[in-house]
Amino acid sequence: MHLYIVTGSSRGLGAALVEQLAQPGNAVIGMARRLNPALKAEQWTLDLADPLPAAERLQAWLRANTGWASATLVNNAALLSAPGPLAASGLAELSAALRVGLEAPTLLSRVFLAETVGVAQRRILNISSGLGRRAMAGSAAYCAVKAGLDHLSRALALEAPDVGVVSLAPGVIDTDMQVQLRGADPARFPEQARFQGLKEGGQLQTAQATAGAVLRYLNKPDFGQNVVADIREA
């Protein structure tokens, strides 16, 4: 059996990944705040804005469930705080975005690496963004989280050379996050018109199509050779 753990699994890219991974021979665990009744996989309802209990639950589960042919952790969950200047953002909202987007992947990766020693093939896929590599006004926390994921991945690749680690920008996906960016106040979010143009120009990919491309990348024999990658350049 091949084990896949996917965060942010209730909707968008995460749900599409779980749906496509739920095949015979795979054991799939989705982590999200809400259940998605359409998914045929084990689902854990938890809030990654409080990541320690999630990491502890995964630790206990991995200790009790062993013997995997391969194990893969996909850190996909992200929380976009309301678009606008950092100085005008709510403290609690900022804290949640940082904890979901960076603290949770760090803790889950720690547990995954420690508790899957001996599994023949191990992979960590961090879903990053072009905004981790190009700053954008009005999304400081999101940019910081994704840049942090990129550098976390670089460090993990050095610490665990036997584990494939990639921080992958998946392209522009038509998700609720895009709706939030398009609906932002242009006075607070200068890039609003650009995101509106992406939608009007038909440049957004579906979550299903993106999930297929991400899984093809995940299954590449040389996965991990380029630690920080963009699916559009694969």
Side-chain angles (χ1 to χ4, degrees):
M1 292 289 288
H2 301 275
L3 173 64
Y4 294 90
I5 303 154
V6 182
T7 69
S9 59
S10 64
R11 57 183 181 173
L13 178 60
L17 288 170
V18 169
E19 181 180 355
Q20 293 181 31
L21 285 168
Q23 303 292 332
N26 293 345
V28 185
I29 296 174
M31 297 184 185
R33 286 179 293 175
R34 290 176 290 273
L35 289 174
N36 182 335
L39 296 179
K40 296 178 175 63
E42 183 172 349
Q43 298 180 66
W44 297 358
T45 53
L46 38 79
D47 188 354
L48 291 178
D50 184 15
L52 186 56
E56 291 172 337
R57 180 172 178 180
L58 179 61
Q59 182 179 62
W61 191 91
L62 287 172
R63 288 178 177 177
N65 295 270
T66 59
W68 304 106
S70 70
T72 301
L73 171 64
V74 181
N75 287 308
N76 164 73
L79 183 62
L80 181 69
S81 54
L86 185 71
S89 302
L91 293 177
E93 187 179 26
L94 280 175
S95 177
L98 293 169
R99 299 188 80 180
V100 169
L102 189 54
E103 184 179 344
T106 303
L107 294 182
L108 293 173
S109 295
R110 182 269 179 212
V111 167
F112 179 84
L113 290 169
E115 304 301 334
T116 57
V117 173
V119 176
Q121 178 179 289
R122 298 187 291 165
R123 293 182 171 178
I124 295 176
L125 174 60
N126 293 319
I127 301 299
S128 184
S129 169
L131 293 182
R133 302 151 202 181
R134 178 187 69 84
M136 183 174 72
S139 293
Y142 190 78
C143 290
V145 159
K146 296 306 185 182
L149 271 185
D150 287 352
H151 218 46
L152 172 67
S153 300
R154 293 184 182 102
L156 293 181
L158 294 173
E159 290 183 3
D162 61 320
V163 179
V165 181
V166 172
S167 190
L168 181 67
V172 188
I173 314 168
D174 196 3
T175 62
D176 291 344
M177 187 175 292
Q178 286 290 320
V179 174
Q180 187 177 1
L181 293 170
R182 292 196 301 272
D185 180 356
R188 286 173 46 88
F189 182 51
E191 298 273 358
Q192 185 273 341
R194 185 171 76 86
F195 285 93
Q196 184 66 40
L198 291 174
K199 176 67 172 179
E200 293 173 352
Q203 298 181 55
L204 302 181
Q205 298 187 62
T206 66
Q208 288 290 339
T210 303
V214 167
L215 293 179
R216 286 191 294 275
Y217 192 96
L218 179 64
N219 290 322
K220 289 174 60 176
D222 63 348
F223 180 89
Q225 181 174 329
N226 296 319
V227 177
V228 176
D230 190 311
I231 203 164
R232 292 163 291 192
E233 300 170 359

